[in-house]
Amino acid sequence: MLAPRALRCLLCVLSCAWWPHTGAASRLKSAALPIQSEREPQPSKGLTGCSFGGRFYSLEDTWHPDLGEPFGVMHCVQCYCEPQKSRRGKVFGKVNCKNIKQDCPDPDCDDPILLPGHCCKTCPKGSGDRKQTDSVLDSFEYFHEKVKEKEDDLHKSYNDRSYLSSEDVARCLVSPSADFVAVLTGVTSSWLPSSSAVARVRFVLTRNSLAFSITYQRMGRPSKIVFLDSDGTTAFEYRVPKGQSDMICGVWKNMAKPLLRQLQSEQMRISMTTSTSRREEVEGKIIKHRALFAETFSSMLTSEEENSGMGGIAMLTLSDTENNLHFILILQGLIKHKGKDPLLVPIRVQLVYRQHILREIRANITSHDPDFAEVLTDLNSRELFWLSRGQLEITVATEGPDPRQISGFITGRKSCDTIQSVMSSGDALTPGKTGGVGSAVFSLHDNGTLDYQVQVAGLSSDVVGLTIELKPRRRNKRSVLYDLTPEYSKTTGQAVGSWSRLEARHIHMLLQNELFINVATAHSQEGELRGQIKALLYSGLDAPRHELPTPLAGYFVSPPVRTGASGHTWLSVDKQCHLHYEIVVAGLSRTDDITVNAHLHGLAEIGEMDDSSTAHKRLLTGFYGSQAQGVLKDISAELLQHLDQGTAFIQVSTKMNPRGEIRGRVHVPNNCESGMKADTDEVEFDDVYQKDPEELKKDPHTCFFENQHHAHGSRWTPNYDKCFSCSCQKRTVICDPVICPVLTCSRTIQPDDKCCPVCDGKTKLTVHYSCCYFEGDQKMHAPGTTWHPFVPPFGYIKCAVCTCKGSTGEVHCEKVTCPALTCSQPVRRNPSDCCKECPEEDRTPAGLEHSDMMQADGPRHCKFGKNYYQNSDSWHPWVPLVGEMKCINCWCDHGVTKCQRKQCPILTCSNITRTDGSCCPECVGEQRTHINTRTDRSISIDNI
């Protein structure tokens, strides 16, 4: 039986797990094949609404998704058919689902119960006991409401197309808890005295990579950062590079799933140490916090006492319409109490300007929960001015016989993210296709000054206005905040300067991605280019984001292309001669920006500035959104030389413009003369893939070939033929023939342990580059050979075939044409197969050629969601927004996932309840009489 359609829909809507059902391939000179996301069934013609799980819902309908047996109705998940409007004014529906359990009210009794068919716990009848305490966040809802307000603001009658990208909306809807924070204070031990140092770490989790931004005070520059798991064991160590900045930026990539679960359940800690003569160490717990989404101002609270071991942070934000300052305090070490029973401690919170107390709040906190939240209402103009200049100080002090105090200045939120904007004609108030581009980077200082660097190119006429604006309330009613036109130079096409009079409201809107930059020209007085100013998340790539990026525009393509898209890119070459790139585009997607999609919008390429047909081009990556980034390692000496001389280009090609839709000339100075050093990469490769054999057996992506386990991504020479090279890609072994270079030396020899001949002695070696390099599988392919392309993140695409054109060294990819079938019910043998086949009762394995995909030896594995399981493995399924369903058992049966719900007895009592951790309902206060009706009901799930 196939998987319930509703479960597939929920996995797509909530986890962004878009599974392609048509092929996609990269193509260097021809058009790219679009990767289509799996679509839901269309409703009847003429009706507007949403399709979900095979059912049709009208606009604004709400429902609890029924995932079918054995999962049942998800009572704690509520789906909503949300009205949307396309650019042409057509109304359509989009399904949004969320977990409503967090919105359940707190029961007024000590022992609430969960009734069958309900999501929220309720009090038993006759119970009158009330809870004595409430958590800070449950009573302080402003930060939580900011998320909803942001989403509501997206769908007003007029909206900038660039207001929020699909990635931003996906983050808000799918993973609102992707942000974490930690407060680090001094560690006390027998050999290390406590410290007065305080550090704050802000984390952003994107898939399995954890980016972190660290600020610290009252300590020297740290040398080492260590992440500790729930057992206190080192899980990851980061060596801090030397520098003068008070900000530390880093990324923990490829976090293991068990550690991801510990992070989500707040079981991990982080420590930071210095290597100076006076060694200091600070440590803290990593926690989730809703306030991080809305935070626009912050303060680090430190103590003037030596070796105090206490500190804290304040997260603050302004109301969107009123001058109210909301804040949450996270305090550590302020209360000295080691008893088991909580101690109630009075505190005093003050807002201070130059030792003058402006506001004061008195409250009580407990030793077990020292966090505190409050609102300072109706800030006057002077207070708002001092807030914008970083001159307001917040102090927290305990009251009593032994008072303790910490304090800090309030500034704009700090992080390693880059505030930037791409301006395109497609995002203008009146969208157009001019082929022009605008690019800007910003830097916000503690005193409220905003430095800016802006560049424009390819405009239809002279610039007459360059302004920072609000989102207009009406189409023809722009709201200008700051005019950059006086700083614009027509000669350079740039504007460089500082905006020194930002108000607190402007800082708040800037850090909430609510400001725009507009370029008006003589032919387009309202604006030819426009872009949203927003933060670009720190990715860990070695690219100088503080410098102006290289602009990408249709104007730079030869011949010029009139397009509404534009972009910019940062590039750098490291000591190993690897190229780091980061590309941001705007206007490239043809769909509404607020629709989460997984379409291949285009291909990013790098090459030489040469209009001839023999110019070399390399595929960098495919665009599935507005950003692309990565590292290119095996770069030819010629390309490195062109990068050094400024005669190279980066371009983004699309199906409409396969020869380039936007392009930019790049100049990356480097000292690389011979390109990538093979020895260096071989060492790195071996370090990555040299794993313990027992660990390899547990990895579901491991390949078993010739009686050996091989790690995913590894390459090796098979025993059966030294002139072949094999690689492992998620349990699939691919073997290709080795392509030997053409040698022009007078004398060659054939080593016994090598496939290819080499030149004898010191004879000069010349290699003719007639082969093709394909970025997907990172291999050289012989002229005339064909293969299925590897397209990240979807893997091998069997619906496309690529061919190496030997005359030019270019790769040509096209879609596979499936044969016509005579049977009435064709089947797809494997989920990754492109074409369906007629079923046969007795099939014999077809012969495998060397260039075909070879399935690894052993029984088939199972795929459930994003996880792979070996044959006979069992697990509890994880459903988005619901979590692990412990009352359902799934197991892998030779490639087929089967699930079964725990069978419950039929109860005959009238008062039925369900307790925490129990899968079956129980009788309350009565004799438990039941009828055992155990039957084995299971369902097969076809690789969800």
Side-chain angles (χ1 to χ4, degrees):
M1 184 183 296
L2 294 177
R5 184 179 295 168
L7 181 56
R8 292 179 181 268
C9 294
L10 190 65
L11 288 169
C12 287
V13 171
L14 302 179
S15 298
C16 294
W18 300 91
W19 305 107
H21 66 94
T22 60
S26 56
R27 185 172 182 178
L28 293 185
K29 197 158 185 175
S30 302
L33 300 172
I35 293 179
Q36 301 292 336
S37 59
E38 188 173 280
R39 299 189 180 277
E40 298 174 354
Q42 294 296 321
S44 303
K45 189 174 182 180
L47 295 178
T48 301
C50 301
S51 295
F52 187 92
R55 297 181 180 180
F56 181 74
Y57 297 91
S58 301
L59 294 177
E60 299 186 352
D61 278 358
T62 59
W63 68 96
H64 298 293
D66 185 354
L67 305 188
E69 289 293 339
F71 299 93
V73 178
M74 300 290 100
H75 294 287
C76 286
V77 176
Q78 186 178 70
C79 294
Y80 171 61
C81 183
E82 186 176 13
Q84 303 279 306
K85 184 178 289 187
S86 67
R87 291 178 57 193
R88 297 183 178 179
K90 185 178 179 180
V91 178
F92 62 97
K94 187 181 80 171
V95 177
N96 279 335
C97 296
K98 67 175 183 177
N99 192 329
I100 60 174
K101 190 170 184 178
Q102 61 185 6
D103 298 327
C104 290
D106 286 336
D108 295 333
C109 53
D110 291 329
D111 298 311
I113 60 175
L114 181 64
L115 297 175
H118 290 71
C119 175
C120 300
K121 292 184 177 181
T122 57
C123 293
K125 295 181 180 180
S127 175
D129 299 332
R130 302 186 61 85
K131 293 183 68 176
Q132 299 298 319
T133 60
D134 293 317
S135 68
V136 171
L137 283 178
D138 287 340
S139 61
F140 185 68
E141 292 294 334
Y142 178 75
F143 284 90
H144 179 56
E145 292 299 324
K146 291 280 290 183
V147 181
K148 297 180 180 178
E149 292 173 10
K150 175 72 72 176
E151 294 169 9
D152 294 341
D153 196 41
L154 290 176
H155 313 305
K156 293 180 180 178
S157 58
Y158 172 67
N159 192 5
D160 277 287
R161 283 182 57 228
S162 61
Y163 184 58
L164 265 185
S165 68
S166 59
E167 291 90 344
D168 297 329
V169 176
R171 237 177 121 234
C172 295
L173 296 179
V174 179
S175 184
S177 297
D179 294 333
F180 300 81
V181 70
V183 181
L184 281 58
T185 54
V187 176
T188 303
S189 65
S190 58
W191 55 275
L192 184 67
S194 184
S195 168
S196 296
V198 179
R200 170 198 165 128
V201 191
R202 182 188 179 105
F203 306 88
V204 177
L205 179 64
T206 307
R207 297 183 180 90
N208 62 347
S209 293
L210 186 68
F212 50 89
S213 305
I214 304 177
T215 53
Y216 55 93
Q217 290 184 13
R218 298 180 64 83
M219 70 181 299
R221 185 169 178 82
S223 60
K224 184 174 65 174
I225 298 167
V226 177
F227 289 78
L228 306 172
D229 63 13
S230 56
D231 297 327
T233 306
T234 298
F236 176 72
E237 185 174 303
Y238 178 79
R239 293 286 178 175
V240 180
K242 295 181 179 180
Q244 301 298 323
S245 172
D246 61 349
M247 177 81 69
I248 299 173
C249 307
V251 176
W252 179 1
K253 296 184 178 180
N254 301 318
M255 289 184 68
K257 288 185 178 179
L259 295 175
L260 281 171
R261 287 192 288 267
Q262 289 189 24
L263 176 70
Q264 295 282 4
S265 58
E266 301 182 355
Q267 297 178 15
M268 298 194 71
R269 299 182 68 83
I270 181 172
S271 72
M272 195 164 66
T273 56
T274 63
S275 59
T276 57
S277 57
R278 184 179 179 272
R279 187 172 182 272
E280 294 180 284
E281 181 178 0
V282 290
E283 184 177 320
K285 184 180 181 181
I286 303 175
I287 62 172
K288 298 178 185 178
H289 220 294
R290 290 191 228 166
L292 290 166
F293 179 86
E295 179 192 19
T296 50
F297 294 91
S298 63
S299 178
M300 195 180 308
L301 309 178
T302 62
S303 171
E304 296 296 328
E305 299 178 21
E306 290 295 330
N307 304 324
S308 66
M310 61 181 176
I313 62 171
M315 295 181 286
L316 309 96
T317 190
L318 281 174
S319 300
D320 285 336
T321 56
E322 299 175 336
N323 294 328
N324 299 334
L325 185 64
H326 302 252
F327 68 89
I328 289 181
L329 303 176
I330 300 180
L331 310 174
Q332 231 172 254
L334 190 64
I335 303 175
K336 289 185 177 181
H337 179 68
K338 297 183 179 180
K340 293 183 178 180
D341 296 328
L343 176 68
L344 199 64
V345 178
I347 63 167
R348 183 176 66 252
V349 181
Q350 296 176 337
L351 194 65
V352 179
Y353 171 71
R354 293 184 178 178
Q355 298 182 348
H356 294 286
I357 300 175
L358 304 177
R359 306 285 184 105
E360 183 175 281
I361 299 173
R362 294 177 182 270
N364 293 323
I365 60 174
T366 66
S367 55
H368 288 190
D369 186 15
D371 296 355
F372 177 72
E374 192 49 88
V375 184
L376 299 174
T377 59
D378 297 326
L379 268 64
N380 58 42
S381 58
R382 289 184 305 165
E383 292 170 332
L384 288 171
F385 175 80
W386 294 328
L387 175 64
S388 68
R389 297 299 180 264
Q391 297 173 349
L392 285 185
E393 188 177 9
I394 187 168
T395 68
V396 183
T398 61
E399 296 183 314
D402 185 21
R404 312 186 80 198
Q405 178 174 306
I406 53 177
S407 63
F409 285 94
I410 303 172
T411 63
R413 185 191 69 215
K414 297 179 181 179
S415 75
C416 297
D417 303 339
T418 301
I419 304 175
Q420 52 84 53
S421 178
V422 175
M423 293 154 273
S424 68
S425 56
D427 287 334
L429 294 180
T430 303
K433 294 184 177 182
T434 67
V437 62
S439 173
V441 290
F442 303 86
S443 178
L444 180 65
H445 297 279
D446 289 348
N447 63 0
T449 299
L450 182 69
D451 294 339
Y452 56 82
Q453 301 176 73
V454 185
Q455 58 183 341
V456 295
L459 301 177
S460 61
S461 54
D462 291 340
V463 173
V464 297
L466 183 60
T467 51
I468 296 177
E469 303 180 356
L470 300 174
K471 179 182 135 185
R473 297 186 179 277
R474 295 193 299 272
R475 185 174 296 276
N476 297 322
K477 189 68 174 178
R478 291 162 51 203
S479 301
V480 176
L481 287 182
Y482 185 71
D483 190 359
L484 288 67
T485 311
E487 306 299 330
Y488 176 75
S489 170
K490 183 178 179 180
T491 306
T492 63
Q494 296 184 2
V496 179
S498 298
W499 178 9
S500 59
R501 295 188 178 182
L502 265 79
E503 298 177 3
R505 175 70 55 193
H506 300 157
I507 296 174
H508 171 80
M509 300 183 75
L510 173 73
L511 297 178
Q512 284 285 295
N513 301 336
E514 294 176 353
L515 298 184
F516 299 83
I517 185 166
N518 195 78
V519 182
T521 60
H523 290 170
S524 300
Q525 295 285 335
E526 287 298 315
E528 181 174 327
L529 305 175
R530 188 175 178 87
Q532 182 188 4
I533 302 174
K534 55 184 177 180
L536 181 64
L537 294 178
Y538 177 72
S539 63
L541 291 179
D542 183 17
R545 281 186 175 183
H546 58 278
E547 299 176 1
L548 265 176
T550 298
L552 307 175
Y555 173 77
F556 297 130
V557 180
S558 180
V561 176
R562 295 181 66 87
T563 174
S566 62
H568 60 208
T569 178
W570 286 273
L571 300 105
S572 66
V573 174
D574 62 21
K575 294 179 180 179
Q576 287 75 37
C577 298
H578 299 163
L579 178 71
H580 299 249
Y581 64 89
E582 189 156 21
I583 308 171
V584 184
V585 297
L588 189 62
S589 171
R590 301 295 182 242
T591 58
D592 194 346
D593 270 72
I594 63 173
T595 302
V596 180
N597 57 74
H599 293 271
L600 179 67
H601 301 322
L603 301 171
E605 301 164 310
I606 187 169
E608 305 162 10
M609 295 296 292
D610 189 348
D611 293 334
S612 66
S613 61
T614 59
H616 300 98
K617 285 192 291 186
R618 286 284 307 278
L619 175 69
L620 291 178
T621 186
F623 266 95
Y624 299 89
S626 62
Q627 297 173 225
Q629 58 195 24
V631 181
L632 188 63
K633 292 186 176 181
D634 50 340
I635 312 175
S636 67
E638 291 83 0
L639 182 53
L640 285 166
Q641 186 177 4
H642 281 287
L643 287 169
D644 186 55
Q645 296 173 351
T647 53
F649 69 85
I650 276 189
Q651 73 176 22
V652 176
S653 304
T654 62
K655 185 176 181 179
M656 296 296 295
N657 293 285
R659 294 181 178 270
E661 180 156 339
I662 55 177
R663 176 188 284 195
R665 186 168 182 165
V666 293
H667 179 210
V668 187
N670 63 84
N671 298 318
C672 302
E673 297 180 356
S674 59
M676 181 192 69
K677 299 175 178 59
D679 293 342
T680 302
D681 264 356
E682 287 178 4
V683 172
E684 292 178 357
F685 193 86
D686 293 340
D687 289 343
V688 173
Y689 294 109
Q690 189 173 4
K691 295 183 178 179
D692 181 64
E694 294 302 321
E695 292 296 322
L696 284 176
K697 293 179 182 179
K698 299 176 183 178
D699 187 351
H701 294 163
T702 295
C703 299
F704 186 70
F705 189 76
E706 293 183 329
N707 294 321
Q708 285 186 327
H709 288 90
H710 299 273
H712 164 64
S714 62
R715 288 194 180 97
W716 69 94
T717 299
N719 297 328
Y720 70 86
D721 195 331
K722 64 183 178 182
C723 286
F724 279 81
S725 176
C726 297
S727 65
C728 174
Q729 299 289 341
K730 292 185 178 179
R731 274 188 63 84
T732 300
V733 177
I734 303 98
C735 293
D736 287 330
V738 174
I739 308 302
C740 296
V742 180
L743 306 180
T744 59
C745 49
S746 58
R747 186 179 178 184
T748 63
I749 59 174
Q750 178 65 57
D752 293 336
D753 58 341
K754 301 290 183 182
C755 173
C756 299
V758 296
C759 289
D760 186 18
K762 298 182 179 180
T763 308
K764 184 178 179 181
L765 173 64
T766 304
V767 181
H768 294 290
Y769 293 99
S770 58
C771 302
C772 303
Y773 180 85
F774 186 66
E775 172 65 21
D777 55 20
Q778 297 184 350
K779 289 184 180 179
M780 296 295 295
H781 295 266
T785 56
T786 60
W787 67 94
H788 293 302
F790 181 83
V791 180
F794 299 105
Y796 284 93
I797 306 299
K798 287 190 176 181
C799 286
V801 173
C802 294
T803 306
C804 175
K805 302 293 184 181
S807 58
T808 60
E810 293 177 347
V811 177
H812 178 87
C813 299
E814 58 186 17
K815 188 175 181 180
V816 171
T817 301
C818 293
L821 301 178
T822 57
C823 54
S824 59
Q825 294 183 332
V827 295
R828 182 173 282 108
R829 293 288 173 184
N830 296 301
S832 60
D833 288 346
C834 176
C835 299
K836 292 185 177 181
E837 305 174 12
C838 289
E840 298 179 19
E841 293 184 2
D842 297 319
R843 292 180 58 91
T844 57
L848 292 174
E849 298 181 1
H850 64 261
S851 61
D852 290 336
M853 297 174 59
M854 297 189 290
Q855 185 64 33
D857 305 339
R860 288 185 58 198
H861 65 272
C862 297
K863 184 181 180 185
F864 187 88
K866 294 184 179 180
N867 298 322
Y868 289 85
Y869 299 92
Q870 300 281 15
N871 185 49
S872 300
D873 282 356
S874 61
W875 67 94
H876 296 300
W878 185 90
V879 176
L881 292 183
V882 178
E884 188 179 41
M885 305 190 71
K886 295 185 178 180
C887 297
I888 295 178
N889 292 318
C890 295
W891 65 95
C892 180
D893 185 7
H894 294 85
V896 178
T897 298
K898 296 183 177 180
C899 295
Q900 178 178 341
R901 179 181 289 276
K902 181 179 179 180
Q903 299 301 309
C904 297
I906 298 176
L907 302 179
T908 59
C909 54
S910 58
N911 194 1
I912 298 175
T913 185
R914 188 192 302 271
T915 59
D916 281 341
S918 173
C919 295
C920 298
E922 301 175 351
C923 294
V924 178
E926 299 181 20
Q927 183 67 31
R928 300 186 180 184
T929 304
H930 64 266
I931 304 172
N932 194 346
T933 58
R934 177 178 176 84
T935 57
D936 289 330
R937 294 187 303 163
S938 64
I939 182 171
S940 300
I941 296 182
D942 182 21
N943 285 348
I944 295 177

